[in-house]
Amino acid sequence: MKKHRLFFALWPDDATRNTLEEFCGNAIADCGGNHVKPENFHITLRFLGQVNFTSNRCLRKAAARAHGEPVKLMLDRLGFWSGPQVLWLGANKVPDTLLRLAVNINTELGECGFKPEDRPFRPHVTLARQVTKPPESPSISPLEWTATHFVMVESDTRPEGVRYKVLEKWPLTER
């Protein structure tokens, strides 16, 4: 049985994606590395790994139950992880609405046999991979992103690079 590599994420709208793309070009000019394609920008809420098709229905039901409110992010922190050689953009203060959404998703996934994530939740947008050095000036102008939905994404690794396909979308609504 074929398995699909899946994850849940915040997926930017076109305007946010364009702003991220502009920021990305400026931020990594001095760092080297390979830019992440703008169509792949996202914030992972929960990575699932290889999942068989029969689990797919359960995952979709769990996501529908994992309600949350719109997430207002202030992306104001440029970071570098030397181990995986990743340049990323994140928030100095992670909004409670984002933390609650991640917890809700993790909780609901328990119904599908997924154990809660044991690593700390570090929301970020990966800007570049195979980065050779950290940015010279990590201080940046903040970038605002209001996420009004979250998505389930399939990741397909190909010789020319990874391709992401949004499989389904759930709204984040005021309570």
Side-chain angles (χ1 to χ4, degrees), residues 69-126:
E69 297 175 32
V71 175
K72 292 185 181 190
L73 280 163
M74 188 59 64
L75 299 173
D76 56 0
R77 183 172 177 211
L78 187 60
F80 172 70
W81 290 319
S82 60
Q85 295 180 299
V86 167
L87 183 70
W88 53 270
L89 181 62
N92 276 311
K93 181 177 178 347
V94 179
D96 290 341
T97 51
L98 179 54
L99 295 173
R100 282 193 303 273
L101 177 61
V103 167
N104 287 345
I105 289 172
N106 268 305
T107 300
E108 293 300 337
L109 289 174
E111 297 287 323
C112 302
F114 288 88
K115 293 182 180 170
E117 186 70 59
D118 56 0
R119 296 180 298 174
F121 180 53
R122 295 186 191 164
H124 66 279
V125 177
T126 299

Side-chain angles (χ1 to χ4, degrees), residues 8 45 50 62 131 143 149:
F8 288 102
L45 296 169
Q50 299 291 335
V131 174
L143 187 151
H149 63 275

Side-chain angles (χ1 to χ4, degrees), residues 158-169:
R158 298 173 177 210
E160 65 274 10
V162 69
R163 289 190 61 181
Y164 294 144
K165 178 181 178 185
V166 173
L167 300 176
E168 192 157 342
K169 177 169 137 175

Side-chain angles (χ1 to χ4, degrees), residues 11-165:
W11 206 254
D13 58 31
D14 289 340
T16 303
R17 186 172 307 285
N18 291 338
T19 303
L20 283 166
E21 183 177 13
E22 286 174 30
F23 177 85
C24 180
N26 295 333
I28 70 172
D30 297 328
C31 299
N34 299 325
H35 291 238
V36 169
K37 293 179 182 175
E39 60 267 22
N40 287 346
F41 288 148
H42 67 277
I43 292 178
T44 301
L45 296 169
R46 173 66 194 267
F47 180 73
L48 301 172
Q50 299 291 335
V51 177
N52 65 41
F53 186 74
T54 56
S55 298
N56 207 333
R57 186 175 306 139
C58 185
L59 294 173
R60 290 171 193 258
K61 287 180 181 177
R65 291 189 307 266
H67 56 82
E69 297 175 32
V71 175
K72 292 185 181 190
L73 280 163
M74 188 59 64
L75 299 173
D76 56 0
R77 183 172 177 211
L78 187 60
F80 172 70
W81 290 319
S82 60
Q85 295 180 299
V86 167
L87 183 70
W88 53 270
L89 181 62
N92 276 311
K93 181 177 178 347
V94 179
D96 290 341
T97 51
L98 179 54
L99 295 173
R100 282 193 303 273
L101 177 61
V103 167
N104 287 345
I105 289 172
N106 268 305
T107 300
E108 293 300 337
L109 289 174
E111 297 287 323
C112 302
F114 288 88
K115 293 182 180 170
E117 186 70 59
D118 56 0
R119 296 180 298 174
F121 180 53
R122 295 186 191 164
H124 66 279
V125 177
T126 299
L127 300 177
R129 299 184 186 284
Q130 300 172 335
V131 174
T132 56
K133 63 181 181 172
E136 288 181 20
S137 174
S139 62
I140 60 167
S141 297
L143 187 151
E144 191 173 314
W145 173 7
T146 299
T148 58
H149 63 275
F150 71 99
V151 297
M152 181 194 303
V153 180
E154 180 177 13
S155 172
D156 184 18
T157 304
R158 298 173 177 210
E160 65 274 10
V162 69
R163 289 190 61 181
Y164 294 144
K165 178 181 178 185

